[in-house]
Amino acid sequence: MNTQTRVPGHPIRVRNRYDRMVRDAGGRSRFVPTRTGRAHVVEHGDGLPVVHLHGNNTSSLSHLMLLEHTTAVHSFLVDRPGFGLSDPSDFHRTGLRRHAVGFVDDVLDGLGLESAVLVGASGGGIWSVWYALDRPERVRVVVMLGSVPLLPGARIPVDVRVMATPVLGQLLGRIVKPGRRMLLHLLSSVGEGGTIRRYPNLLDSLVDAAHDPVARAANVAELQAILSPFGTRPEAGIHPDALRKLRVPTLMIWGDHDPVVPVKDAQAVAALVPYARLEVLVAGHVPQLGHPARVAALIEEFAHSIP
């Protein structure tokens, strides 16, 4: 990406709502430079550094509810490229993993962190696992917050696979105007249709993001890199041999009715990872929506339990 060219900006409506929600949650916004542009970070607290990477179709706003329950860590909620308020970046479909690892390298460097606890939700969980595999010396603990779509046993909802379908996904993105009803349907398909209603501002922010051309393009590009119309791309999958090499202490926080990677498959994954702990909550694909206090406590307790 040529950093001298004008970087496409997020709409003012997105920025205004984002800033208001961060202030209301007691967070502080900052930007750090990366090789592909600026990354936006929400910062809160003090103590052991915990870096969050959000999932697709959302931003760091989907982790804000954890901040009021974190008392003993320094949280950094990072907007991945093109999402939230971060600048977009280009990558080749086969180069997403290299792009992801480079981005996290740059963010940790920009924050002045030699290492950190890495919390990844859904698509952000993919990036977190990749980073823990490639840079174990920089990851104190890796947390899978909800299921990771490239794990063995993953079942990708049809709505998401359609988004990843070349031409069709882009065409639907231009024709269909996303609103609350469509997003509630999407969240219901991953078991969170009820819990998202507890966060009307977050739901409104998801509607804003669905109309943000920068975030929409980033989302489609990433989904097409990891998914085909039939499921996960075999070359992108996180396979059992890789999981056996994941030497970083791993906390898996799962929903008991998460449809993307069901609990029985999560148990198989936990058996493969040398040091893994699986915690199952009554939840779908986004456990922090229904259990913000419990999720925050699990992350802090596990992180501080590692010498």
Side-chain angles (χ1 to χ4, degrees):
M1 177 178 175
N2 182 359
T3 57
Q4 300 303 311
T5 61
R6 186 175 180 275
V7 176
H10 298 278
I12 187 67
R13 180 177 178 179
V14 170
R15 300 200 303 271
N16 287 344
R17 190 187 304 277
Y18 198 117
D19 290 341
R20 184 168 62 252
M21 289 178 66
V22 169
R23 286 196 305 270
D24 290 347
R28 306 181 297 278
S29 278
R30 64 184 288 191
F31 288 88
V32 296
T34 74
R35 66 197 71 185
T36 57
R38 301 181 311 160
H40 178 258
V41 181
V42 177
E43 190 173 355
H44 179 272
D46 192 25
L48 186 70
V50 178
V51 174
H52 291 247
L53 298 174
H54 61 82
N56 291 80
N57 296 301
T58 184
S59 68
S60 288
L61 297 179
S62 59
H63 291 220
L64 276 185
M65 69 286 296
L66 296 172
L67 297 185
E68 68 174 298
H69 303 288
T70 54
T71 59
V73 298
H74 193 161
S75 298
F76 300 93
L77 315 184
V78 181
D79 287 329
R80 297 192 292 124
F83 296 96
L85 301 185
S86 287
D87 290 339
S89 61
D90 296 323
F91 58 87
H92 295 293
R93 196 186 82 185
T94 57
L96 178 59
R97 178 169 177 166
R98 182 170 60 253
H99 163 73
V101 170
F103 175 79
V104 179
D105 266 340
D106 291 346
V107 167
L108 294 184
D109 291 344
L111 294 172
L113 303 176
E114 291 185 7
S115 63
V117 174
L118 204 54
V119 179
S122 193
I126 297 171
W127 288 37
S128 297
V129 173
W130 280 343
Y131 195 77
L133 287 167
D134 290 2
R135 301 282 193 273
E137 72 282 359
R138 301 200 73 174
V139 182
R140 179 185 177 92
V141 164
V142 65
V143 179
M144 302 182 201
L145 182 52
S147 64
V148 176
L150 295 187
L151 290 176
R155 299 159 176 80
I156 309 302
V158 173
D159 292 357
V160 177
R161 297 205 307 269
V162 169
M163 291 182 206
T165 303
V167 182
L168 177 59
Q170 294 167 330
L171 179 63
L172 288 175
R174 289 194 294 268
I175 295 175
V176 179
K177 301 302 181 185
R180 272 180 164 241
R181 180 175 296 181
M182 179 181 293
L183 288 166
L184 283 170
H185 173 75
L186 178 62
L187 284 158
S188 294
S189 74
V190 294
E192 300 293 358
T195 50
I196 189 62
R197 295 175 188 272
R198 305 177 191 176
Y199 304 92
N201 288 331
L202 176 58
L203 183 55
D204 287 340
S205 78
L206 297 176
V207 175
D208 287 348
H211 290 270
D212 177 353
V214 177
R216 194 166 59 239
N219 192 54
V220 170
E222 187 168 317
L223 290 176
Q224 289 182 351
I226 62 175
L227 302 177
S228 76
F230 309 104
T232 57
R233 294 187 183 279
E235 68 274 15
I238 301 171
H239 300 292
D241 285 346
L243 293 168
R244 293 186 185 99
K245 297 174 184 176
L246 183 56
R247 300 294 175 179
V248 175
T250 302
L251 174 62
M252 302 167 61
I253 304 176
W254 236 252
D256 64 344
H257 54 279
D258 187 331
V260 179
V261 180
V263 170
K264 66 179 181 62
D265 295 294
Q267 292 168 339
V269 168
L272 291 170
V273 177
Y275 185 54
R277 171 181 162 190
L278 175 64
E279 289 283 344
V280 180
L281 306 179
V282 179
H285 187 56
V286 192
Q288 72 269 25
L289 293 180
H291 306 278
R294 181 61 178 150
V295 166
L298 285 170
I299 293 171
E300 287 192 345
E301 290 166 5
F302 190 77
H304 284 288
S305 73
I306 306 302

